Amino acid sequence: MSILSERQKLILSLVVHDYIKTATPVGSKNLVEKFRLDFSPATVRNELAKLTEMNFLSQPHTSAGRIPTEKGYRLFVGVLMNTQELKEENRHMIEHQFFQTQQDQGIDGWMKLAASILASQSKAISLVSAPLPIRNSLKHVALIDLTGKQMLIVLVLTSGQMQQRFVTLTEQVSQNKLTMTANEINQRFKGMTTDQIHQEKQKSTTNNALMELVMKNVLNAMYETDAMKAGEVFTDGISNVLAEPEFAESEEARQALRIFEEQPALQSFLSKTALDQKIGGVQVLIGGEGLLTNLQNCSLVLARYGIPETLTGTVGVFGPMRMAYSRNIPTVRFIASLLSDLISESLVELQ
Amino acid sequence: MSILSERQKLILSLVVHDYIKTATPVGSKNLVEKFRLDFSPATVRNELAKLTEMNFLSQPHTSAGRIPTEKGYRLFVGVLMNTQELKEENRHMIEHQFFQTQQDQGIDGWMKLAASILASQSKAISLVSAPLPIRNSLKHVALIDLTGKQMLIVLVLTSGQMQQRFVTLTEQVSQNKLTMTANEINQRFKGMTTDQIHQEKQKSTTNNALMELVMKNVLNAMYETDAMKAGEVFTDGISNVLAEPEFAESEEARQALRIFEEQPALQSFLSKTALDQKIGGVQVLIGGEGLLTNLQNCSLVLARYGIPETLTGTVGVFGPMRMAYSRNIPTVRFIASLLSDLISESLVELQ
DNA sequence: CTTTAGCACTCAAGTCAATCGAGTGCTAAA
DNA sequence: TTTAGCACTCGATTGACTTGAGTGCTAAAG
């Protein structure tokens, strides 16, 4: 495989650029005029022919302009594009949107917000998956007497999530008794994961009915948190992408967008795809690899966020293969870092 | 305004029926053949002409079949359609979907679920707005010592919503002191709305710093709940509607679907629209009245759910004007009643 | 007075051929 | 190695023509 000349690289990246903007095959004459190149269309044609030969470009039909191939996009994203950081200005704008909503609504709220901002910035579909606690454990249990015969169980987990349960008791129990029970549970189970608690509990059976009742609820609530909240995926901007010719024209492609309204499919896809990525790095999937077959000329820009080995989620942008990588990649990276910061702050707060 | 003959009613409803199915203008001959009418096409033509005169039907151009007008749909929905209850079979299916998710995820979870079920049943866009507590008041406050210098404030509201806050204290405070403060607050403010608490608090200023701190947080949290969670709208099934010819063909209409990804617009629309509806009743808005101008040949089926005068939200279906009213209306009604039941149950639990 | 057969008329949608033009590859000269 | 020139390709556009579902009107039949 021969190495590309500088001029070839230039021309290739111009083609990609132009095609991203116009979505129409780009030809030699057009290229020379638009970018004021100082060689002739014929020269450009020769180079285009070579690039086509090497499979970086393709032609929809013999007498049309060129379109980047998957391979072309890959080279563009990997080498040709100058991935600068996001402009100061844009960073501020995003931060502003993030923090003007003063209410702290917890992790869920942040994710929703991130999805909304990312969608509006990228004009594409945004995906934000809930951080999956790799090791979620019990931080604190509190028991609160409500009416004498009803109590509230409040659970704080190391991931920063909380759960509450109402439980109706068979007999009157004093707040004192509740506090003592809570203390005992905290001493014995603090810092343990769901499974560890389960095992520990097997060891010694108390005949303390209250204790049993509480622990049953605690375990249930923890299982739920583990299983459910874990993989939830927030999505935004589906309508953004409807304007793109790729989707406007093909009924099939439009149907394929259904997938973004189907939690289970999204979850399994994201969890399969991005797990081995390190925090902060951005991964670009070009040509809908592994995704739905009808979405083949689409791309996905993904990044992981959170705290390594502890609590990590995925954030990303989905759009046509000719998406604005040079804007989307830094944006995704920046939003991932914002989310990471927010999450580690919220963990520190709970320390 | 003359009254329609039985035959005219029959023909009108057949036209509506057929147009809902085929989305193409329906003509006399076709009508007679498809429904095996025992009068001739010419007769039907005469009737169609009269119905057109009376503005129940219209023609896209002089030599085409008829299409129902807004007025036509209104008559159909209001009088001609036999609004039977949802079939036993369908009710069971919906209930099953509703309750197979065993986890009780709180009101939010139910709403999401309702939106998802409604979208899949109606093949249109579903809307579920969070119940707006008309009179939300404080049920219980609990203060929990976490680490000696951090406490957790747990707020239970009469609407069944909960809020927690972490607060870092300037000095060590015992759980005992916290419990006493909580008791005091509960005695003084229990059952009051945000505004009432605000007033009551003005009356006597304590020099109890802890008390002040807690109350500041309680009020904040309550304001947030009032303002924010209140109007949130869950949406599902946007991609359903993309297949409909109304949207597949018009770029404009597709753009207009953006509105379903914009919380503020949705919230204000729903709150303006459906407030004066009584619980259980179903309201049908034909011709996108008041909604976006680009969505004029669309309709909305809405119902209120919840507990009258206390905690009510809206549930509904949005689709092309030629939607399957006869299926969607009972479905919306049924789902509204399910949600109402769930909400009143959850309130009873908290009593 | 109502229904229906017959007929001329309308008009969107489909078919087909001609034309246009952006783009190509190749060759030969600079 | 670059470029001008030229014949060629082929999708897109245009416009004339045909087709057919549907109409309104009239006059005869019930």
Side-chain angles (χ1 to χ4, degrees):
Chain A
M1 174 65 57
S2 63
I3 285 169
L4 294 183
S5 72
E6 282 309 309
R7 193 170 64 190
Q8 284 171 331
K9 289 184 193 167
L10 173 67
I11 288 177
L12 177 53
S13 66
L14 289 182
V15 170
V16 175
H17 243 104
D18 198 60
Y19 186 67
I20 283 179
K21 258 212 198 109
T22 65
T24 36
V26 11
S28 52
K29 197 180 148 202
N30 214 312
L31 215 46
V32 172
E33 281 174 6
K34 204 178 277 181
F35 298 100
R36 313 194 163 282
L37 300 182
D38 45 1
F39 20 85
S40 78
T43 315
V44 174
R45 269 207 295 284
N46 287 332
E47 299 289 34
L48 287 178
K50 284 181 215 156
L51 287 167
T52 307
E53 179 108 13
M54 288 186 279
N55 207 19
F56 290 114
L57 296 176
S58 71
Q59 289 180 288
H61 54 268
T62 32
S63 73
R66 303 306 209 279
I67 287 179
T69 60
E70 250 178 72
K71 194 178 162 193
Y73 282 115
R74 289 230 176 76
L75 193 70
F76 177 77
V77 170
V79 183
L80 307 179
M81 193 183 64
N82 40 350
T83 1
Q84 64 255 6
E85 277 301 297
L86 209 55
K87 282 205 211 92
E88 185 76 7
E89 175 196 336
N90 290 335
R91 285 214 301 273
H92 280 335
M93 203 195 311
I94 293 176
E95 274 171 346
H96 179 245
Q97 286 184 64
F98 232 104
F99 297 113
Q100 78 174 163
T101 336
Q102 67 283 50
Q103 309 123 334
D104 104 303
Q105 327 172 52
I107 295 183
D108 283 27
W110 287 329
M111 291 195 303
K112 255 187 230 176
L113 200 53
S116 149
I117 294 174
L118 196 49
S120 76
Q121 291 283 321
S122 66
K123 310 268 186 240
I125 298 181
S126 63
L127 303 167
V128 181
S129 87
L132 184 99
I134 290 175
R135 216 190 78 92
N136 198 4
S137 47
L138 184 65
K139 187 166 206 77
H140 191 89
V141 174
L143 301 179
I144 303 156
D145 170 47
L146 281 185
T147 61
K149 288 197 76 167
Q150 274 193 320
M151 71 174 169
L152 178 63
I153 306 180
V154 178
L155 228 67
V156 187
L157 303 175
T158 45
S159 62
Q161 291 162 303
M162 276 186 265
Q163 284 262 338
Q164 326 79 344
R165 287 297 170 98
F166 283 101
V167 178
T168 306
L169 302 165
T170 47
E171 53 185 24
Q172 199 100 359
V173 177
S174 72
Q175 176 65 55
N176 234 353
K177 179 99 188 285
L178 289 180
T179 310
M180 280 172 54
T181 311
N183 284 343
E184 198 182 329
I185 292 176
N186 281 325
Q187 277 181 10
R188 204 168 141 204
F189 299 106
K190 195 174 203 167
M192 293 187 182
T193 63
T194 315
D195 290 333
Q196 288 170 329
I197 293 178
H198 198 75
Q199 281 174 16
E200 173 70 22
K201 184 160 158 276
Q202 305 278 307
K203 280 190 198 160
S204 63
T205 42
T206 38
N207 50 3
N208 180 341
L210 177 61
M211 180 79 163
E212 282 298 316
L213 180 63
V214 173
M215 284 311 295
K216 202 185 86 193
N217 276 281
V218 167
L219 272 174
N220 259 337
M222 284 185 70
Y223 272 127
E224 267 179 33
T225 314
D226 284 1
M228 190 191 59
K229 282 258 174 178
E232 194 173 7
V233 180
F234 293 90
T235 269
D236 201 344
I238 294 186
S239 56
N240 280 339
V241 120
L242 293 175
E244 304 288 350
E246 279 86 346
F247 296 91
E249 276 152 33
S250 148
E251 173 59 28
E252 219 183 350
R254 226 174 304 136
Q255 284 299 316
L257 291 183
R258 280 174 181 282
I259 197 180
F260 292 101
E261 294 193 327
E262 281 166 23
Q263 285 291 323
L266 278 184
Q267 289 183 18
S268 81
F269 175 72
L270 282 186
S271 66
K272 261 185 300 192
T273 307
L275 268 179
D276 49 339
Q277 186 69 10
K278 66 170 193 283
I279 301 292
V282 177
Q283 186 179 8
V284 184
L285 298 182
I286 290 169
E289 324 164 48
L291 210 68
L292 223 60
T293 28
N294 312 33
L295 293 175
Q296 278 187 332
N297 45 12
C298 293
S299 290
L300 202 49
V301 176
L302 289 178
R304 303 228 89 202
Y305 70 90
I307 300 170
E309 314 278 314
T310 310
L311 188 67
T312 70
T314 309
V315 55
V317 167
F318 173 95
M321 209 195 282
R322 44 166 208 80
M323 70 161 70
Y325 297 98
S326 56
R327 196 183 53 204
N328 290 351
I329 292 177
T331 308
V332 167
R333 179 184 293 126
F334 181 62
I335 291 202
S337 79
L338 272 182
L339 281 176
S340 294
D341 292 353
L342 284 171
I343 284 190
S344 42
E345 269 175 40
S346 89
L347 280 195
V348 168
E349 263 179 37
L350 299 187
Q351 219 91 87
Chain B
M1 172 67 56
S2 62
I3 286 172
L4 295 184
S5 72
E6 282 309 308
R7 194 171 64 192
Q8 284 171 331
K9 288 184 193 168
L10 172 67
I11 288 178
L12 176 54
S13 67
L14 289 182
V15 171
V16 175
H17 242 104
D18 198 61
Y19 186 68
I20 285 180
K21 258 212 198 110
T22 65
T24 38
V26 10
S28 53
K29 198 181 148 201
N30 213 313
L31 215 47
V32 172
E33 280 173 9
K34 204 177 281 183
F35 298 99
R36 314 192 162 282
L37 300 182
D38 45 0
F39 21 84
S40 79
T43 315
V44 175
R45 269 208 294 287
N46 286 333
E47 299 290 31
L48 287 179
K50 283 182 214 152
L51 288 167
T52 308
E53 179 108 14
M54 289 187 275
N55 207 20
F56 290 113
L57 297 175
S58 71
Q59 289 178 288
H61 54 270
T62 34
S63 74
R66 303 307 210 280
I67 288 180
T69 60
E70 251 178 69
K71 193 176 164 195
Y73 282 115
R74 290 230 175 75
L75 192 68
F76 177 76
V77 171
V79 183
L80 307 181
M81 192 182 65
N82 40 349
T83 0
Q84 65 255 11
E85 276 301 297
L86 208 54
K87 280 203 213 95
E88 185 77 6
E89 173 198 336
N90 291 334
R91 283 214 302 271
H92 280 333
M93 203 195 312
I94 293 176
E95 273 171 348
H96 179 244
Q97 286 184 66
F98 232 104
F99 297 112
Q100 78 175 160
T101 337
Q102 68 281 53
Q103 308 121 336
D104 107 300
Q105 325 171 51
I107 295 183
D108 283 27
W110 287 329
M111 289 195 303
K112 256 187 228 178
L113 200 54
S116 151
I117 294 173
L118 196 48
S120 76
Q121 291 284 322
S122 65
K123 310 268 186 239
I125 298 180
S126 63
L127 303 167
V128 182
S129 88
L132 185 100
I134 290 174
R135 214 189 81 93
N136 198 5
S137 47
L138 184 65
K139 185 169 207 71
H140 191 88
V141 173
L143 301 178
I144 302 158
D145 171 44
L146 280 184
T147 63
K149 286 197 77 165
Q150 275 193 319
M151 70 173 171
L152 179 64
I153 306 180
V154 178
L155 228 70
V156 186
L157 304 176
T158 44
S159 61
Q161 288 162 304
M162 277 188 264
Q163 284 263 337
Q164 330 74 347
R165 287 297 170 97
F166 282 102
V167 178
T168 307
L169 301 166
T170 47
E171 54 185 24
Q172 199 99 3
V173 178
S174 72
Q175 176 66 56
N176 233 353
K177 179 99 188 282
L178 289 180
T179 310
M180 278 172 54
T181 311
N183 285 342
E184 199 182 329
I185 292 176
N186 281 325
Q187 277 184 9
R188 204 169 140 202
F189 298 106
K190 194 172 201 165
M192 293 188 180
T193 65
T194 316
D195 290 334
Q196 288 171 328
I197 293 178
H198 197 75
Q199 281 175 16
E200 173 70 22
K201 185 162 157 274
Q202 304 278 306
K203 280 190 197 160
S204 64
T205 42
T206 39
N207 49 2
N208 180 342
L210 176 62
M211 180 80 165
E212 282 297 317
L213 180 65
V214 172
M215 284 311 296
K216 203 184 86 193
N217 276 281
V218 166
L219 271 173
N220 260 335
M222 285 185 68
Y223 272 126
E224 269 178 32
T225 315
D226 283 1
M228 190 190 58
K229 283 259 173 175
E232 193 172 7
V233 180
F234 293 89
T235 269
D236 201 342
I238 294 185
S239 56
N240 279 339
V241 119
L242 292 175
E244 304 288 352
E246 280 85 344
F247 297 91
E249 278 153 32
S250 150
E251 174 59 26
E252 218 183 352
R254 227 174 301 136
Q255 285 298 320
L257 290 184
R258 279 176 184 280
I259 198 178
F260 292 101
E261 295 193 327
E262 282 166 25
Q263 284 291 323
L266 278 184
Q267 289 183 18
S268 81
F269 174 72
L270 282 186
S271 66
K272 258 186 302 193
T273 306
L275 269 180
D276 49 338
Q277 188 67 11
K278 69 167 189 285
I279 302 290
V282 177
Q283 186 179 7
V284 183
L285 299 181
I286 288 170
E289 324 164 47
L291 209 66
L292 222 60
T293 27
N294 311 33
L295 293 176
Q296 278 188 332
N297 44 13
C298 293
S299 290
L300 203 48
V301 176
L302 289 178
R304 304 230 88 201
Y305 70 90
I307 298 169
E309 313 278 314
T310 309
L311 187 68
T312 70
T314 309
V315 55
V317 167
F318 174 94
M321 208 194 285
R322 44 164 209 81
M323 68 161 71
Y325 297 98
S326 56
R327 196 183 53 205
N328 291 350
I329 292 176
T331 308
V332 166
R333 178 184 293 128
F334 182 62
I335 290 202
S337 79
L338 272 183
L339 281 175
S340 295
D341 290 353
L342 284 171
I343 285 191
S344 43
E345 269 174 40
S346 88
L347 280 195
V348 169
E349 264 178 36
L350 299 186
Q351 218 91 86

